Amino acid sequence: MRPSENIENTIKKMNFTAGAELREQILADALKAHEQTETQPAIEKPNIWRTIMKNRTTKLAAAAVIVIAVIAGVSQFFGGTVTFADVIKPILNARTVVFDFVMGKEETGIVVHDIVVGNRIRRTLSNIDTIMVMDLDNAKMLTLDPKHKGAMYMDIGGMIQEGTKNIIGLVRNIVNDIEKHPDWPIEELGQREIDGQKAIGFMVRSKNEELTIWADPVTAKPVRIEVLFGQLSAIIKNIEFDVPVDESLVSMEPPAGYTLGNMEYKMNQFTEEDFVESLRTWAEILRDGSFPETLTAEGYLKVTSLFTEKLDQLNLSPEEGTHIGMTFGRGLMFFQVIAGSNCDLHYAGGGVKLGDAEKAIFWYQPKGAETYRVIYGDLHVEDVKADQLPK
């Protein structure tokens, strides 16, 4: 079946739920459906390099969904003289905040630039030219493509709305958690030079997280926030509180001269099938037939620019291009959920060619399941007992 014929059915099948327990709940919902399925044969689809027609919506959908997925996945982090309470005040009270958010290593990570006005956010990335304006009160996102003057709306209700909060605002969550956990001591780091200015630091550690805030020793305003969650690190810097912001930057109306697409896409639904198809995209579009050496959320984000460039070069119908872009991003969401659920998972696809039916490239054990879900190089999926897994 062609992607253009399958989009509506695929979307209708997917389900997503918001809330503090999103990982557990989403994982359970997503896997419940698959427990009822039998071994899946490889999915036969036309080679996506064969079809032809430029499409603005394709790039918008592809870029926006990946950005949302990554940022939503990261959102779990935050929940004498100058004190920790002083440092938190501007975070709690500022109406406008402008800052840079670096995923991964500061020297090589992708930089997300946010302009926050109340519950609206204007977001851009250093490696693509797509602009996203989010209205978190109404769970809507306006995506803009300055190059092609295209615009589209997305429904980001549910988990996406919950996860795509003002990143600075998410620090409030961990502050509230500190009050509930007196066993999380606040360590004073003293004064150092941070990004060319003197700053005083505070660190808070929980079981899985480490939050460090560096603030101006005179004004107490944070100048840098460092977060470590498992093996994933993030840095918030170049922070400005209560600066004047042109309200038009966070307007949900497309700028003059932009063409608005006639569809509104839903971003709060995904399945294991989306993840499988995202692996197909890695091999077929991004790597000329082989799977990536490693598979991480940061890796997805880093190929966003290449991915949108490749989609622009393909001769796809609007339906096919948008389907590929949306599925790639939803596949990332599924991956982030299972990666964050503490289930046993492994990736072994580095260098494996698409079509190798004997080679297992990814497997994970759903919570409460006795068997593993195993994805093979030809992208068929099987339920496998632990003693039959690849060594």
Side-chain angles (χ1 to χ4, degrees):
M1 179 178 292
R2 290 170 59 84
S4 58
E5 300 171 329
N6 193 42
I7 290 175
E8 184 175 352
N9 290 333
T10 301
I11 292 177
K12 287 182 177 179
K13 287 191 298 181
M14 297 186 260
N15 184 39
F16 209 122
T17 306
E21 304 86 7
L22 66 96
R23 288 179 178 174
E24 300 285 343
Q25 189 169 353
I26 294 169
L27 183 62
D29 290 344
L31 297 176
K32 183 177 180 180
H34 289 286
E35 291 174 359
Q36 301 172 357
T37 62
E38 298 178 355
T39 299
Q40 303 172 3
I43 305 171
E44 293 187 5
K45 299 206 173 183
N47 189 310
I48 57 179
W49 292 93
R50 295 178 184 168
T51 338
I52 301 190
M53 178 179 171
K54 284 257 185 187
N55 175 36
R56 300 173 180 173
T57 306
T58 298
K59 182 177 180 182
L60 288 169
V65 70
I66 297 172
V67 173
I68 291 177
V70 173
I71 300 303
V74 194
S75 66
Q76 59 195 300
F77 290 151
F78 302 100
T81 64
V82 172
T83 65
F84 189 73
D86 295 328
V87 168
I88 293 303
K89 284 180 181 179
I91 296 174
L92 297 176
N93 300 326
R95 179 178 179 271
T96 66
V97 189
V98 179
F99 60 92
D100 290 330
F101 175 61
V102 185
M103 287 287 297
K105 295 182 179 180
E106 188 168 8
E107 300 79 12
T108 59
I110 303 301
V111 180
V112 180
H113 181 69
D114 272 8
I115 299 174
V116 181
V117 181
N119 278 331
R120 289 195 178 184
I121 304 172
R122 182 184 182 90
R123 176 164 293 161
T124 54
L125 273 76
S126 60
N127 64 333
I128 57 174
D129 56 6
T130 303
I131 299 170
M132 287 141 286
V133 182
M134 288 162 278
D135 180 350
L136 298 183
D137 287 333
N138 296 302
K140 298 292 182 184
M141 183 175 79
L142 172 65
T143 309
L144 304 172
D145 178 2
K147 181 179 179 180
H148 300 100
K149 300 297 181 183
M152 63 182 290
Y153 286 112
M154 287 188 177
D155 179 350
I156 57 172
M159 172 267 191
I160 303 298
Q161 180 184 17
E162 182 68 19
T164 313
K165 291 180 178 177
N166 166 14
I167 298 171
I168 289 290
L170 293 171
V171 177
R172 301 169 188 170
N173 293 344
I174 201 167
V175 172
N176 291 330
D177 286 343
I178 290 172
E179 296 179 354
K180 301 175 185 177
H181 296 275
D183 56 319
W184 295 358
I186 301 171
E187 180 181 351
E188 296 186 7
L189 303 178
Q191 188 167 265
R192 298 180 190 173
E193 185 172 295
I194 301 294
D195 296 331
Q197 67 180 100
K198 292 182 178 180
I200 188 168
F202 300 88
M203 178 187 293
V204 181
R205 288 192 181 96
S206 67
K207 183 178 180 180
N208 300 311
E209 302 144 336
E210 181 178 294
L211 172 68
T212 303
I213 301 179
W214 294 95
D216 187 299
V218 177
T219 66
K221 289 185 177 181
V223 296
R224 182 183 176 93
I225 300 173
E226 301 168 359
V227 182
L228 182 64
F229 184 85
Q231 296 183 357
L232 184 58
S233 62
I235 298 168
I236 302 171
K237 63 179 186 177
N238 301 326
I239 311 169
E240 298 179 273
F241 295 97
D242 284 322
V243 292
V245 173
D246 184 348
E247 297 281 342
S248 67
L249 293 177
V250 291
S251 171
M252 293 300 291
E253 295 296 324
Y258 277 70
T259 301
L260 179 63
N262 56 8
M263 287 187 64
E264 179 172 294
Y265 296 92
K266 293 184 178 296
M267 289 312 308
N268 55 357
Q269 303 166 332
F270 61 81
T271 65
E272 181 188 81
E273 182 181 354
D274 291 318
F275 176 60
V276 170
E277 287 306 304
S278 75
L279 292 173
R280 184 189 303 279
T281 297
W282 270 102
E284 206 166 62
I285 295 181
L286 298 173
R287 293 184 55 85
D288 296 326
S290 64
F291 297 102
E293 296 300 319
T294 59
L295 196 66
T296 64
E298 187 177 349
Y300 271 87
L301 182 59
K302 284 187 174 181
V303 298
T304 304
S305 180
L306 175 62
F307 182 45
T308 56
E309 179 183 332
K310 291 286 189 179
L311 286 182
D312 269 351
Q313 294 172 0
L314 293 177
N315 296 315
L316 302 171
S317 71
E319 292 84 2
E320 288 173 320
T322 301
H323 179 61
I324 293 171
M326 302 288 277
T327 302
F328 190 65
R330 285 194 295 250
L332 168 57
M333 291 182 183
F334 185 87
F335 172 70
Q336 287 188 160
V337 169
I338 61 174
S341 66
N342 295 321
C343 71
D344 185 22
L345 63 84
H346 299 271
Y347 175 72
V352 178
K353 292 290 185 180
L354 176 63
D356 188 345
E358 301 299 321
K359 181 66 175 179
I361 62 171
F362 187 86
W363 58 95
Y364 68 100
Q365 186 177 35
K367 185 177 181 180
E370 296 183 358
T371 58
Y372 283 71
R373 296 287 290 173
V374 180
I375 302 172
Y376 293 84
D378 65 345
L379 300 183
H380 81 276
V381 185
E382 295 181 5
D383 290 310
V384 175
K385 293 181 179 179
D387 60 0
Q388 297 175 331
L389 290 173
K391 303 299 181 183

